Amino acid sequence: MKQDPSCLQKDTLNQFNLNSNPNLKFMKQTIMTLLFIVCSLALNAQGLQIKGVVTSADDGLPVPGVAVSVKGTTTGILTDLNGYYVLNNVPANSTLVFSFVGMITQERTVTQSATIDVIMTSDEELLDEIVVVGYGTQKKSLITGAIAKVEGDDLRKATDMRVTQALQGKTAGVVITSNNGQPGSQISVRIRGTGTNGDAEPLYIIDGLPMSGAGTDYLNAADIESIEILKDAASCAIYGARGANGVVLITTKTGKTDTKMIVTYDGYYGVQNPWKKIPLLNTEEYTMLINEASINGGQGVAFTEADIESYTSDTDWQDEMFYYNAPKQNHSLSFTGGTDKLEYSSSLSYFSQDGIVAEDKSNFQRIGYRLNAIGTFGFFKLGGNMNLANIENKGIATNDRYATGLNQALNMPPIVPVKFSDGTWGTPEAYGIGIQEITNPVAMLSYTNSNTRTNKLIGNIFGEIDFGKFTETLKGLSFRSSFGGEYAMVMWDNYIPLYYLDAMHFTTVDRAQKSNDLYTRWNFENVLTYTRSFDVHNFTIMAGTTAFKDQHENLYGEKADLIFDDFEHSYIDNATDPESANAAGGFQEHTVSSLFGRLNYDLMDRYMITATVRRDGSSRFGDENKYGVFPSASIGWVISRESFMSGLSNAIDMLKIRASWGQNGSENIGDFGYTSVMGNGNIYYYGDSKTQYNGASPTKIANPSLKWETSEQTNFGIDLSTMNSSLMVTFDYYIKTTKDWLVTAPVPMMVGNSAPTINGGSVRNSGIEAEVSYKKQFGDLYFSASINGAFNKNEVLSIENTEQRLQGGDGGFGQSGVLFAEVGTPMGVFYGVKTLGVFQNQGEIDAHVSSTGAKIQPNAVPGDIIFDDYNKDGQISDADRVQIGNPYPDFTGGLNLNAEMYGFDFYMFLYAALGQEIYQATRRYDMNYTNYTADWLDRWTGEGTSNYLPRVTFVDNNINMKTVSDFFIQDGSFIRLRNISFGYTLPAKVTDYVKIDRLRLYVAAENLVTFTKYSGYDPEIGGGVFDNGIDRGIYPQPRTIMTGINITF
Amino acid sequence: MPKKRIMKKSILYSLSILALMLAGYSCTQDFLELEPKTGLTEANYYKNEEQALLAVTAVYDAYSVQNWQFAPVMSDIWSDDAFCGGSDATDMAQWQDMEMFKMEPENNSSSDLWSRCYAGIYRANLYLQKQEGVEWVTDGLKERFEGEVKFLRAYFYWDLVRHYGWVPLITEVLPDVEDYKSIPQSTPNEILTFIAGDLLAAVAIVPPDIAATETGRVSKAAVQALMARIYLYHTGMSAYSGMGLTAEQWSDGTTTINKGYVQTALDEIITGLKYSLVPDYADLFDWENQNNSESILEIQYSDKAKSGDWGGWNINGNFSSVWMGVRNPQPSSAGIFPGWSFDIPTWSLADEFEAGDPRKHATLFDAETELTDYNRAYMNTGYFNRKYMALNAYIGSGGDQAHNFPRNHMDIRYADVLLMGAEVWLADNPTKAAGYLNQVRTRSLGAGAAKSTITLDDIYHERRVEFGGEGLRKWDLLRRGETYAEQMINASFEIPSGAANPQHFTNRTYKPDTFGMFPIPASEIRNTNEGVLKQMVPAYQ
């Protein structure tokens, strides 16, 4: 449950049945008494006299302030403090209307003077949120699945480029991790744990159009009405073969009929800074430590006294790479409104963000326009929306040990200046240090020129027929047909200049590169819905079909030796070397065709049952398994509506238990996995002039019986609303088993071709999720808080390859297979040798023996790491690797706090991810001259000096640093103050004067504080299943301080 | 509106909507039947001669694209001609272990070589199965392609048998991948018998002359020369107990490739006069003089494919060039492309050259004298392999520079035919043998260096200085016997006094029970049925 502080009015309404709230009651009573006195003065003694007491069905207490009016006239009165009313001069045979906000309006026909007592019941319809489910909506109280709803207004408080990122910590069981802090970068979303070894991202449905996570980049947070996250299989089953990893439904704003045009401007401007610098060695410390390492390696000093004296530089490479006070801004202007037949909503937005690393080389800018309009013409509704987006994006390598990025800043020796006094770039090579990929990153950035421009058109049109408007017999029957699509053009330009930096970093010619990608997708769906109530039976039947197609076409070209030497002229036509021309291009497509249906039935709004079934056909499967059927069923019971609960009706407003079961699939397996396509990359050359022949052979062994992954999930949930709906609690338990994930069957190499993809392996995720929210008005203070948390346990049940193991992920250089999975472990955990400290003396080395008495680490000298010979074979090898950490948090949760008073508003949001580990692989241990972090000053230098950091040495015969071990594992838990804001809404009398409805000013901060023990830049490191939680120099999340304004006209 | 009309109208609407829904679904079958647009499927291929040629090309590709495990480089590191090198003792651990006779079944070089050979065998087997479906129009083309493919399949099995000894013999593509998991290893003798069959089939059909537009394709002389090379190995290794080979008994069951057969085959190449020694040895490895008159079988490399894939490893240039290059060579005007300092020629090789032999300079690049400075990396001797080392002048026009050196690898050259001729004639016709050897020797050392009578040691000396850095030495050492190999290899680790880096050379002890072979890859044992594959080489048992 989410609270919307900017709409205080609505909340007050929602809480109107909170009669026991003394503050509210007192306030109301005061007002009502005054009104009663005023009204009483106007009493007139003609016609009938009707009187009585209005009481509440909830608690039997009188309700003051109920409007009692004669229908069709202006005559009326309010009940007094005791719920009593007297209405004189009422015409005979007229109708009295009893109305009160939050309660069901009642009518009584009067024929003679009488006492009419009325019992008002609260209108749960009004209190009930409407939740978007697949192909329809449902009242929250009747939902039987596990669906979390996040209101658009909640998302607007964060200023993330991607609206999905703002979901972090908003709902339990959804773990959202930024892959890095670079503007425009992707995020990883895991709903209820990782269920596959492949693509574990959920399905996104944006206004009905299926999208990938990357496809959400065009959305402007101000345009979002709500985001629903379908977590359990029963809710997702309506998306069949694509719902296995959960579904995120994004609904954008529409206008409202009969409202005046509202114009809103939202804008902010902020500056971003890195929140942490990693302490590194300075020149003095560096030369000392390197000399020590060199001497320990038996190679004498690396830097002589004279060398050291001549080193005048002490470069802080982090400072050189960071872009301090990098700007970030957003401006969004929106219009919404409607007439009786037309509702519309439109917006224009601009967002730009510079990265905090590599000024001018890392940024993101988006201009978006959106129009949504719906017209109603009798029985027919026609509507559509259109989004245009223009995105310009530049990026540098992130979390990469080979390319230019922060990794280089961490590894560059401080003795190297950025530039020498003659203006040439400083390089390690100039100091006789060959450290391969590591070189002056500032220089390398100066040679980096690339830009990605994206233009997107996304939209849909729909028509809806309400048959009930023809005839009463067809009431409740409607048909909706909609067609949506995307057309996205991505253009990438790159210019590689001619330069020579050092022996490993040079080009011999300049080069222009360009690529063009065209993405198209469309989705056509037809849905027939019939909603009807017979007596106490309410049901909705829905049936529909969809057809979906997406295509991707690309073209790449490059050519060398340009007649101009700059990025501005980096066009292939300016390149002159015909030999260098190179082109590539391809095409992919994918189709899905589906039939689906759903039955919702409830008896007296108390006993609910929902059943769905979907049959999907996908082009990604061969004839043997073209189609899959995905069923689900769920039940719910609103206990609080039972008569035996009426005694508790004061204490419990709503109590519901629900259970669901369902099956989903995942067809995220790439195209043509079932067949064998001929590859043409087996090149050989014939002839004196070496003519190239593109030899052909099948790219892999076919598996015609390949099918989707299946996930089966059972969910139990409780929803409770108490303390007059101030406190709401939702609790869920789930158990989700994903099987048939696609693994590449490890066939023997002697088969001679790549292994076929097979369905083999299963994993179980089980966990609990809880969300608690509280909101209340205390006099002038409105306060709300919500907290959510989830525990998830992930366990691999089977891996159907001979090794019964999956492994991947590179740690430090030469450290492969850092992440693994086998039966009984979670999916993708760190896997390495356990360390037992540092050998303090030769005696300890001699005592570290196998059962035969042989030394386990014969090459070790004091100061080297002690490794655990886990398999007791007398040597340290890959066979000694065990689970040494887990990149997935045990617990994730969020805390939202909100307060408003006298026009001031305060908001803060804390996010916590606890129990996960990080593999710290930022230092290039494979190269002797790279810089160290300052904690290495506490390395082992003699007996008793350190039992964690080993000695430094150029010759690592003990393989301290290349062995994948828990030496590199660190606690990655963190709690982060993601957002904090403080705002002030000007009083209406001030804004009225300037003809503004509302004006709010605020200051806000993001990532202001992060509590973590992790030593690297940022503990938030997302990634794929086998590339997760490994830090190779991550691009950190910025700390942003901003100021903004919201204006409504 | 009258109710009836409304009813009628709504029935009409309902029907049309249902029709629309069904229409949306009925086109499903076609809608979901997609064919890849950027490639044919296996079922639609192998239909015409052009496709047949490209399928044969894919077999050649497995011969040339060696990525990390360039076989000649690995052979030299194993031998007394080269040290592993690299940046330090942990760089390319799989090679360091190979050099120190410490290979484990998890060794990447072992699995990569195994994998490449079987990929080639798969493509060859698939081609031989599919060739019947090709619409053949050119006379003799089918036979020629079949001969080339069989030659290459024999070559892959030759690489397998000399590196692993006991390997599964797969002669066709099996219907189910599971079927491969129970194929037992054949003995070296069985593998060599199969190789004999393929080579004897090939020698009868591949053309003796290769058109200029087809340079690089297999010729009859290539088949004959490879037969001679394998014959010498087979005969030499027959002395090893446990290998199960019998001298002079290399046969396909009908024809025995024995000394007489090889003498005739080599003489046929020599008297055929299609090949000749390049007059100046230094020109032999000139990058501008590839596929020269001395070339019998040469792996073709070019920069044309603009290879640049560090993930998929489809490297169509000579990747070994950058491996063996000098680290950070100064000055850049020396024209040496910065490499990674692997495959470092030994002092022992340098010492083998007679004074004044120009082959020393053509073989060894002396960085200490030819450069002002460079990064002296692990096991540095100052020498680098000049024959194949990357040069700035030949940086490719596209792709990744390291992947695109257009330097062919000379696999079998005429000088080898002459020296093999000398070896097989040594006992039966010493004069002829000396004549063959002298052709090679006098080219470099002048007529005065000719020898009237020669010994096997003379041939071995000549082979070593003639073929230094070409990947042949290991096999020569092995076939001469365990004791000889042991002496020579252990001697190569005697470090000259005054060497700057003696700590880089820990003692190396030859292990004769490796037979010069690699362990069967551990993953291959894991991925087959239990007990099917065994480490047969004594050192790995």
Side-chain angles (χ1 to χ4, degrees), chain A residues 80 158 179 182 192 215 230 242 277 295 332 335 479 481 708 770 815 887 1017:
Chain A
D80 70 6
N179 289 1
Q182 177 152 254
R192 294 188 164 174
L230 313 185
R242 287 189 285 180
K277 257 174 74 176
I295 291 163
S332 169
F335 311 83
F479 173 73
S481 180
W708 50 89
Q815 297 182 329
Y1017 280 123

Side-chain angles (χ1 to χ4, degrees), chain A residues 840-870:
Chain A
Q840 299 298 329
N841 50 52
Q842 188 60 40
E844 289 185 17
I845 297 168
D846 297 342
H848 190 48
V849 292
S850 68
S851 53
T852 64
K855 275 193 269 186
I856 293 170
Q857 289 171 252
N859 297 325
V861 299
D864 281 335
I865 290 178
I866 313 170
F867 294 110
D868 180 25
D869 179 24
Y870 178 77

Side-chain angles (χ1 to χ4, degrees), chain A residues 297-299 379 429 433-434 436 465 467 470-471 473-474 477 479 481 500 503-504 506-509 511 522 524 526-528 543-549 551 558 560 577 579-582 585-587 589-595 615 617-619 621 623 626-627 672 674-679 681-698 700-701 746-753 756 802-803 805 813 875 926 928 954 956-957 959 962, chain B residues 3 6-7 9-10 13-14 17-18 20-21 24-25 28-29 31-43 45-46 53-58 60-61 63-65 87-91 93 104 111-112 114-115 118-120 122-123 126 168 170 177 180-181 183 212-217 290-291 298-306 314 316-317 327-330 337-340 375 392 395-399 401 406-408 503-504 521 523-524 526-528 533:
Chain A
Q299 301 183 8
F379 65 90
E429 187 183 271
I433 309 168
Q436 300 170 48
I465 299 166
F467 292 94
F470 294 132
T471 164
T473 46
L474 289 179
L477 181 67
F479 173 73
S481 180
Y500 184 92
M504 297 292 284
F506 61 91
T507 56
T508 49
V509 66
R511 194 178 295 274
W522 59 256
F524 180 43
N526 291 287
V527 180
L528 197 60
T545 65
T546 70
F548 171 83
K549 183 172 204 167
Q551 297 178 320
E558 68 164 42
D577 175 9
E579 289 280 294
S580 68
N582 201 0
F587 177 82
E589 63 182 341
H590 162 217
T591 52
V592 182
S593 170
S594 320
L595 273 176
R615 179 176 185 262
S618 167
S619 65
F621 309 116
D623 287 338
K626 204 88 184 149
Y627 299 94
F672 303 113
Y674 62 90
T675 185
S676 186
V677 179
M678 295 296 291
N682 300 126
I683 292 165
Y684 201 57
Y685 310 96
Y686 302 134
D688 285 346
S689 55
K690 294 190 185 175
T691 305
Q692 179 177 327
Y693 284 78
N694 280 51
S697 72
K700 67 171 176 184
I701 306 286
V747 296
M749 291 179 278
M750 64 175 117
V751 169
N753 200 350
T802 318
E803 295 171 293
R805 194 170 81 195
F813 183 86
Q875 55 176 349
D926 57 310
N928 285 331
F954 271 17
D956 185 10
N957 285 331
I959 322 184
K962 201 181 149 195
Chain B
K3 204 172 177 180
I6 293 169
M7 282 298 284
K9 212 170 163 183
S10 45
Y13 274 116
S14 310
I17 282 156
L18 283 175
L20 191 65
M21 286 179 77
Y25 199 66
T28 293
Q29 202 56 38
F31 184 64
L32 297 177
E33 293 289 338
L34 301 180
E35 283 282 326
K37 292 214 171 96
T38 51
L40 286 159
T41 56
E42 187 182 328
Y45 207 74
Y46 308 99
L53 172 63
L54 294 180
V56 171
T57 304
Y60 274 102
D61 169 81
Y63 168 57
S64 71
V65 176
S87 71
D88 58 43
T90 60
D91 202 358
E104 298 278 342
S111 54
D112 286 359
W114 175 282
S115 173
Y118 276 110
Y122 162 79
R123 293 174 200 173
L126 186 65
I170 298 162
V177 290
Y180 290 86
K181 296 185 176 173
I183 305 174
T213 54
E214 294 179 339
T215 310
R217 305 263 298 267
Q290 307 197 44
N291 293 314
E298 196 160 322
I299 310 179
Q300 307 292 309
Y301 289 111
S302 160
D303 63 327
K304 286 187 176 152
K306 301 184 170 89
N314 204 354
N316 294 286
R327 281 182 186 239
N328 201 3
Q330 304 293 334
F337 186 85
W340 304 338
N375 188 339
N392 279 342
I395 292 170
S397 60
Q401 294 175 332
R407 180 74 189 96
N408 286 355
Q503 73 277 13
H504 290 173
S523 64
E524 202 69 348
R526 279 197 298 270
N527 291 334
T528 48
L533 293 187

